Amino acid sequence: MAYDDGNIFARILRGEIPNKTVYEDEHALAFHDIRPQAPVHVLVIPKGRYVSSDDFGAEAPAEAIAGFWHAVSRVARDLRLDQSGYRLIANHGANSHQEVPHFHVHILGGRSLGPMLVKRG
Ligand code: 5GP
């Protein structure tokens, strides 16, 4: 899947759409999710043009990958979630219902999050 420069997170990175930033460095931007699903729900995105986790892991240079994951851990610590615990989610593709085609990791926390997936059928 080709990267779409019109996706909402590309527009956030270009400053065209406001966001509630919690952290930014050369590799990553972290901001509050617009529809939080936990008391703390922050998205961390790389600055580069990667569609999903699959694309990022396969194509990004090692420095970008290390910088991105360093930022994820730092944001979770800055939000004081490292003691109470948190969940990371990265959706890829249709079965995951990925909505925004720019790689992002959800950081969820602030309460007990229950089982990882709702069981169906
Ligand atoms: P996905 O399903 O792609 O893993 O998650 C996309 C996330 O982006 C959703 O949790 C959704 O609420 C969030 N989101 C979508 N549009 C915006 C926006 O314009 N601003 C912010 N801050 N979050 C957004």
Side-chain angles (χ1 to χ4, degrees):
M1 182 181 178
Y3 185 82
D4 170 15
D5 281 303
N7 81 73
I8 201 94
F9 293 171
R11 298 186 65 198
I12 284 175
L13 278 172
R14 292 197 297 269
E16 296 168 6
I17 294 176
N19 72 90
K20 290 186 183 169
T21 299
V22 298
Y23 178 75
E24 183 168 15
D25 65 19
E26 64 183 301
H27 297 292
L29 175 69
F31 53 92
H32 290 281
D33 196 291
I34 204 165
R35 294 188 297 271
Q37 296 191 35
V40 179
H41 187 172
V42 166
L43 302 169
V44 189
I45 68 175
K47 295 247 168 125
R49 299 165 73 254
Y50 302 100
V51 174
S52 73
S53 170
D54 178 71
D55 187 22
F56 186 67
E59 302 296 337
E63 188 188 346
I65 293 173
F68 174 78
W69 286 107
H70 182 78
V72 170
S73 298
R74 172 163 179 176
V75 168
R77 281 196 310 274
D78 287 353
L79 293 167
R80 302 185 184 282
L81 298 175
D82 53 316
Q83 296 297 317
S84 54
Y86 57 91
R87 182 171 294 160
L88 303 180
I89 295 176
N91 291 315
H92 162 72
N95 273 358
S96 76
H97 293 242
Q98 182 182 358
E99 174 190 331
V100 180
H102 179 113
F103 174 48
H104 51 281
V105 167
H106 300 250
I107 302 177
L108 296 147
R111 66 167 166 78
S112 176
L113 297 169
M116 191 163 65
L117 292 174
V118 176
K119 289 194 174 133
R120 292 175 200 268

